[in-house]
């Protein structure tokens, strides 16, 4: 026993006893350490230090865009002038009734997302409010979709306002946005009725949420410009069929004036029974429709090619960035985790947001090592950034003996180059010292006995 005790004293004198890391407050030759307990108040002080989280390159927030618009379909050809051919009597030929149905959104319509003017919502949905305040809205593109900020493209063509509102609400919820909003159509550009001939102002009248009747369409064109109603008629071209309403019948039968019109109707007021002139007008409308359809198809093909090229460029830029990360060429911010944890590691601070002490402890390190880690001695070591305080370190101390204090770890924000340290329990330090000493004592004792 005397020999073993002497061996222990000799080893201690030689400085070979087990030494463990610990956080000691005060000023030494190496550093100046200030220990600050982590409380609800000191968390606010620690988080006050400036730090802007790293962000992804702008290429990750860019989209392929919507491409260019449609090209023009060309000028409308002039109508030919034909000699008058007046019949003895004009007959009434009415089109079939148009069934009542709700308005369905079409290409070219402009919709608005109206958001309540609330301070908190204004901060969360700047893109939606910008569209409402500027009254620009969102135009339904040729692919039938609108492009909503922070949500992406939403296809609403062919839907009623209620159906489109439901789809938009679902997409906003999927994007993490749950606003109170209403959808309205500010410009009706997809459904139209054209009016020409003997009217004061030939026009194209939009079909809106409310039904469009014949007398309203004529009023929109400035009214009739007819000198002799006995030989004048309104000709209506619809779905490849030509219908006729003599003006005398229109004036004598009030129900005819309330005839409901539908999208694509072409009205020509013939003041002198120039049927071939009316036919030329309808042919122009058909030709214009075909030109627009051809131009729209070509524009869609060009749009697809343009978007594909842009998407390829974005994918290449993103792949290059990810390759740089895999090769370690990106300049990332790290926090280092050491001491009595399951895994000593280097914790990369996330991009685009802050990280907390709890993230570093339980994500990378796996928490304090059970049986060896001292939950009452958890520290965040932060070196001073002021060159005049070189060597100064603030040790933010978390005492986890009361488990309720661990909630503070979820609020304590980490900064680049912080060192998270978990001290070992006193019994662990003793056990490791004994484990280190005993083999040397046995060897020393055996040597003495051999003498």
């Amino acid at each position: 026993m005397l020999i073993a005790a002497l061996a222990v004293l000799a080893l201690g004198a030689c400085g070979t006893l087990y030494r463990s890391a610990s956080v000691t407050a005060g000023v030494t030759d190496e550093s100046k350490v200030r220990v600050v307990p982590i409380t609800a108040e000191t968390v606010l002080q620690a988080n006050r230090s400036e730090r802007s989280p790293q962000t992804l390159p702008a290429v990750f927030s860019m989209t392929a865009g919507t491409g260019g618009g449609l090209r023009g379909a060309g000028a409308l050809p002039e109508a030919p002038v034909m000699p008058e051919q007046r019949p003895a009597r004009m007959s009434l030929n009415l089109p079939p009734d148009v069934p009542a149905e709700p308005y369905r959104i079409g290409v070219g319509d402009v919709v608005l997302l109206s958001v309540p003017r609330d301070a908190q919502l204004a901060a969360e949905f700047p893109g939606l409010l910008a569209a409402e305040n500027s009254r620009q809205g969102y135009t339904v593109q040729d692919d039938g979709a609108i492009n909503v900020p922070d949500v992406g493209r939403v296809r609403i063509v062919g839907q009623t306002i209620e159906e489109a509102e439901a789809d938009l609400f679902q997409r906003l919820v999927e994007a993490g946005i749950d606003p109170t909003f209403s959808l309205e159509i500010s410009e009706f550009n997809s459904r139209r009725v054209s009016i020409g001939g003997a009217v004061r102002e030939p026009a194209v009248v939009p079909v809106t949420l409310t039904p469009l009747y014949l007398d309203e369409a004529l009023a929109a064109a400035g009214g009739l410009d007819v000198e002799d109603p006995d030989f004048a008629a309104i000709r209506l071209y619809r779905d490849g069929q030509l219908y006729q309403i003599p003006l005398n019948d229109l004036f004598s039968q009030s129900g005819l004036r309330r005839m409901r019109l539908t999208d694509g109707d072409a009205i020509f007021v013939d003041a002198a029974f120039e049927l071939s002139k009316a036919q030329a007008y309808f042919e122009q409308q058909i030709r214009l429709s075909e030109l627009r359809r051809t131009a729209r198809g070509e524009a869609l093909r060009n749009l697809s090619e343009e978007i594909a090229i842009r998407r390829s460029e974005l994918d290449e830029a993103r792949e290059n960035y990810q390759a740089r990360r895999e090769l370690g060429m990106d300049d990332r911010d790290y926090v280092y985790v050491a001491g009595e944890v399951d895994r000593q590691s280097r914790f990369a601070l996330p991009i685009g947001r802050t990280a907390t002490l709890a993230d570093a402890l339980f994500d990378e390190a796996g928490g304090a090592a059970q049986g060896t880690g001292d939950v009452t001695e958890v520290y965040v070591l932060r070196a001073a950034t002021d060159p005049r305080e070189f060597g100064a370190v603030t040790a933010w101390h978390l005492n986890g003996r009361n488990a309720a204090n661990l909630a503070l770890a979820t609020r304590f924000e980490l900064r680049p180059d912080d060192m998270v340290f978990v001290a070992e329990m006193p019994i662990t330090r003793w056990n490791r010292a004994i484990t280190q000493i005993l083999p040397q004592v046995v060897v020393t004792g055996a040597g003495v006995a051999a003498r």
Side-chain angles (χ1 to χ4, degrees):
M1 292 297 295
L2 180 59
I3 295 175
L6 291 174
V8 170
L9 293 175
L11 289 172
C14 295
T16 59
L17 283 175
Y18 173 75
R19 297 174 184 270
S20 62
S22 62
V23 177
T24 304
V27 179
T28 64
D29 294 338
E30 295 84 6
S31 62
K32 179 173 62 176
V33 180
R34 178 174 64 120
V35 178
V36 179
I38 294 180
T39 63
E41 292 76 15
T42 58
V43 165
L44 298 177
Q45 178 184 355
N47 293 346
R48 197 174 294 127
S49 59
E50 296 182 0
R51 190 247 168 176
S52 297
Q54 289 182 322
T55 58
L56 287 172
V59 68
F60 280 89
S61 60
M62 297 170 59
T63 65
T66 58
L70 288 178
R71 291 187 290 271
L76 196 66
E78 294 292 335
V81 178
M82 302 297 292
E84 296 181 358
Q85 298 177 357
R86 299 188 178 185
R89 180 180 179 277
M90 288 185 291
S91 61
L92 176 64
N93 180 20
L94 294 177
D97 292 336
V98 176
E101 60 179 7
Y103 185 88
R104 295 192 176 274
I105 300 171
V107 174
D109 287 345
V110 178
V111 298
L112 290 177
L113 296 179
S114 299
V115 180
R117 297 179 179 277
D118 179 83
Q120 182 176 357
L121 281 177
E124 296 178 0
F125 313 113
L128 303 182
L129 286 175
E132 184 212 0
N133 295 336
S134 64
R135 307 303 294 175
Q136 294 176 357
Y138 304 102
T139 302
V140 181
Q141 302 295 325
D142 293 291
D143 60 350
I146 60 175
N147 193 18
V148 182
D150 302 325
V151 175
R153 301 190 65 76
V154 183
R155 181 177 174 83
I156 61 174
V157 71
Q159 296 182 338
T160 64
I161 293 180
E162 292 76 12
E163 293 169 347
E165 205 168 50
D167 283 357
L168 280 168
F169 182 86
Q170 181 64 31
R171 290 291 301 276
L172 290 172
V173 171
E174 292 174 357
I177 306 173
D178 189 11
T180 301
F181 76 98
S182 62
L183 180 69
E184 62 182 65
I185 302 177
S186 63
E187 294 181 23
F188 298 85
N189 300 321
S190 63
R191 300 175 182 272
R192 294 167 291 187
V193 171
S194 58
I195 306 173
V199 291
R200 290 183 174 86
E201 297 177 2
V204 176
V205 182
V207 179
T208 63
L209 298 178
T210 57
L212 177 64
Y213 298 100
L214 178 58
D215 57 349
E216 296 172 346
L218 293 174
L224 299 173
D225 188 14
V226 177
E227 295 180 0
D228 188 0
D230 292 336
F231 297 97
I234 295 176
R235 309 195 191 282
L236 171 64
Y237 183 85
R238 177 186 295 171
D239 297 332
Q241 298 293 327
L242 184 62
Y243 304 95
Q244 176 176 276
I245 304 175
L247 283 190
N248 287 333
D249 292 333
L250 181 71
F251 294 151
S252 62
Q253 302 180 36
S254 60
L256 296 179
R257 294 193 293 272
R258 299 301 291 173
M259 183 177 65
R260 185 171 181 174
L261 303 178
T262 186
D263 175 44
D265 283 354
I267 298 173
F268 186 88
V269 181
D270 187 359
F273 198 75
E274 298 180 16
L275 183 59
S276 48
K277 187 175 181 180
Q279 180 179 357
Y281 175 78
F282 297 135
E283 289 176 353
Q284 292 169 12
Q285 298 301 317
I286 295 173
R287 191 180 310 161
L288 180 60
S289 177
E290 292 175 350
L291 289 174
R292 285 174 176 165
R293 189 180 301 110
T294 302
R296 188 163 291 156
E298 181 66 23
L300 285 175
R301 286 190 293 271
N302 293 339
L303 174 65
S304 299
E305 295 175 359
E306 183 179 350
I307 291 179
I309 294 174
R310 293 183 183 179
R311 186 174 291 116
S312 298
E313 293 174 350
L314 292 175
D315 290 342
E316 182 179 7
R318 293 167 183 171
E319 290 173 359
N320 289 340
Y321 173 78
Q322 292 170 351
R324 289 175 60 88
R325 285 194 57 185
E326 293 174 358
L327 295 173
M329 299 174 63
D330 60 323
D331 187 16
R332 292 292 303 274
D333 292 332
Y334 293 96
V335 168
Y336 304 89
V337 185
E340 293 301 317
V341 291
D342 285 346
R343 295 183 305 276
Q344 299 194 40
S345 59
R346 184 180 67 168
F347 174 64
L349 292 178
I351 294 176
R353 66 176 181 86
T354 59
T356 65
L357 173 58
D359 293 330
L361 278 176
F362 300 103
D363 185 9
E364 288 292 327
Q370 293 186 355
T372 62
D374 189 351
V375 295
T376 68
E377 299 289 335
V378 179
Y379 296 91
V380 177
L381 306 179
R382 182 173 298 170
T385 57
D386 191 340
R388 295 170 298 182
E389 297 183 4
F390 182 77
V393 175
T394 300
W396 301 94
H397 175 212
L398 177 66
N399 186 349
R401 179 184 296 275
N402 183 352
N405 289 341
L406 295 177
L408 297 173
T410 64
R411 296 162 52 190
F412 189 98
E413 297 178 1
L414 297 176
R415 297 293 182 263
D417 299 326
D418 279 354
M419 175 70 71
V420 178
F421 176 76
V422 179
E424 60 185 356
M425 298 180 64
I427 187 64
T428 302
R429 187 181 302 113
W430 170 254
N431 288 340
R432 288 173 176 169
I434 294 301
T435 303
Q436 182 182 16
I437 292 172
L438 283 179
Q440 299 188 46
V441 171
V442 171
V443 172
T444 303
V448 173
R451 293 175 186 171

